[in-house]
Amino acid sequence: MTGTVELGLDTFGDVTTDENGVLLPHAQVIRNVIAEGVLADQVGVDFFGVGEHHRSDYAISAPDVVLAAIAGHTARMRLGSAVIVLSSDDPVRLYQRFSTLDAASAGRAEVILGRGSFTESFPLFGYALEDYETLFEEKLALFAALREGGPVTWEGSVRAPLKEQSVFPPVQVGKLRTWVGVGGSPESVVRAASYGLPLMLAIIGGDPARFRQYVDLHHRAYSHLGTPAQAIGVHSPGHVAATDAQAREEIWPHYARQNAKIGAERGWPPISRKDFEREADRGSLYVGSPETVARRIAGTVRMLGLSRFDLKYSVNQMPHDTLMRGIELYGTRVVPLVRNMLISRATLQVA
């Protein structure tokens, strides 16, 4: 792995607070995310991802609309979902929305497709959770066919069939860049390989080394198919501040509150400060000064052979001003440090 790795930022549009600790309206959070995306482009970040949710603690339910607004104020950075819930969407309309974004952004759009770790979108759009696997499998097959371009013929059980149907607008150059988001399912790794799609690993806790098995499976699947392996990326949470101590103090209350809320819904045990410190030291929480965060990202990139690393920089109610400072440090300090670390290691290995 060399310094050519892409370094991005992700957000779910977490609903934040004002200076008095009062939750901001969802509309203001969306405007803040647009400002965050514009800043990310200005400071040299390679990719900006916006996730889809349908619940009160996240403001963004239509990532492509937010990304289109960011596209109008940026010129270089790639823009995509992080992730879009394919299972409860229509693949044809989803493809059209992102091919439109690709046109509006002059070829900078991409999409990360996921099954959805949050399930609010299923009842909202009239889908049954017992069809969770079938919905994703069939819709991914259709989306993969749409990426190939030209008239599409497809039939399944989850939507009306298509017969020699063309979908507009087509992507102007090549194919829409599409990743499959994977949280820990070997079947999803093999499925992505069967469609020749790159893999985005969502590693939100624990030692990232435990995902090496999925990287190896990815390569074995492509070897079996007799085709070159596609890119692998990682999405993990974190926060950058001037010093390690400042970064940890800024993120800790928000990280603890987020874990308490989601943990209560999913039956997780409460997280302690000791758990947090261990995660920040050796797990998948990239928190600290630019030097610390860069060193840990570079280590994960080398260990897993990544082509991209995306830091999920928004955490619960962390204020917009704090997020903006973190974005600036990530782009101006962390990104060049990671590249230099990877180049230096590669040079030493060659020597």
Side-chain angles (χ1 to χ4, degrees), residues 35-307:
E36 291 158 14
V38 172
L39 176 61
D41 184 72
Q42 292 170 349
V43 298
V45 174
D46 295 320
F47 169 81
F48 193 79
V50 176
E52 173 195 0
H53 291 84
H54 303 269
R55 47 188 288 145
S56 62
D57 42 349
Y58 301 113
I60 298 171
S61 60
D64 48 294
V65 179
V66 177
L67 292 166
I70 296 171
H73 297 282
T74 59
R76 180 195 53 79
M77 180 177 64
R78 296 193 64 83
L79 303 163
S81 64
V83 300
I84 205 87
V85 185
L86 176 62
S87 304
S88 57
D89 211 327
D90 180 77
V92 175
R93 290 296 289 137
L94 177 60
Y95 183 85
Q96 289 177 318
R97 298 199 309 269
F98 276 85
S99 65
T100 299
L101 175 64
D102 195 67
S105 64
R108 292 185 287 135
E110 57 184 73
V111 61
I112 304 174
L113 305 173
R115 295 185 295 177
S117 61
F118 291 90
T119 58
E120 290 84 1
S121 63
F122 287 79
L124 183 64
F125 298 119
Y127 293 100
L129 280 174
E130 54 263 33
D131 296 329
Y132 188 83
E133 293 292 341
T134 301
L135 285 165
F136 187 73
E137 289 177 6
E138 291 195 7
K139 291 184 177 186
L140 181 60
L142 175 52
F143 196 92
L146 294 167
R147 282 187 73 243
E148 296 301 317
V152 173
T153 296
W154 177 91
E155 186 171 354
S157 64
V158 298
R159 76 174 309 278
L162 298 177
K163 184 175 182 180
E164 293 296 306
Q165 182 71 54
S166 296
V167 176
F168 302 99
V171 171
Q172 185 175 7
V173 178
K175 300 175 185 179
L176 180 65
R177 191 179 189 187
T178 302
W179 304 69
V180 174
V182 176
S185 165
E187 293 78 13
S188 293
V189 175
V190 174
R191 186 185 296 120
S194 70
Y195 293 111
L197 297 174
L199 201 62
M200 182 61 65
L201 299 170
I203 309 180
I204 60 173
D207 187 346
R210 64 195 175 93
F211 276 75
R212 182 69 216 187
Q213 60 182 314
Y214 299 109
V215 171
D216 294 340
L217 178 59
H218 169 90
H219 288 290
R220 288 199 304 273
Y222 277 99
S223 177
H224 178 75
L225 293 167
T227 57
Q230 295 295 308
I232 299 175
V234 160
H235 154 109
S236 288
H239 175 57
V240 190
T243 67
D244 289 350
Q246 180 184 347
R248 294 192 183 203
E249 289 308 312
E250 286 180 346
I251 194 176
W252 160 244
H254 306 288
Y255 184 79
R257 187 185 302 113
Q258 175 179 271
N259 275 270
K261 180 176 177 58
I262 298 175
E265 298 170 1
R266 301 186 179 184
W268 298 347
I271 189 167
S272 67
R273 182 64 188 246
K274 184 177 180 181
D275 295 331
F276 162 78
E277 297 287 351
R278 182 170 55 250
E279 194 65 46
D281 287 338
R282 302 184 298 278
S284 295
L285 185 60
Y286 296 77
V287 174
S289 67
E291 293 77 12
T292 295
V293 173
R295 184 171 61 253
R296 296 207 59 230
I297 290 175
T300 298
V301 168
R302 286 192 296 262
M303 176 176 56
L304 298 180
L306 303 180
S307 297

Side-chain angles (χ1 to χ4, degrees), residues 294-339:
R295 184 171 61 253
R296 296 207 59 230
I297 290 175
T300 298
V301 168
R302 286 192 296 262
M303 176 176 56
L304 298 180
L306 303 180
S307 297
R308 190 159 90 202
F309 183 96
D310 293 339
L311 184 78
K312 200 274 187 177
Y313 70 91
S314 58
V315 181
N316 195 252
Q317 298 173 13
M318 187 178 288
H320 171 60
D321 289 346
T322 304
L323 298 179
M324 292 288 272
R325 289 194 297 272
I327 289 169
E328 183 173 8
L329 286 171
Y330 184 81
T332 60
R333 300 281 304 282
V334 174
V335 168
L337 280 169
V338 172
R339 296 199 195 290

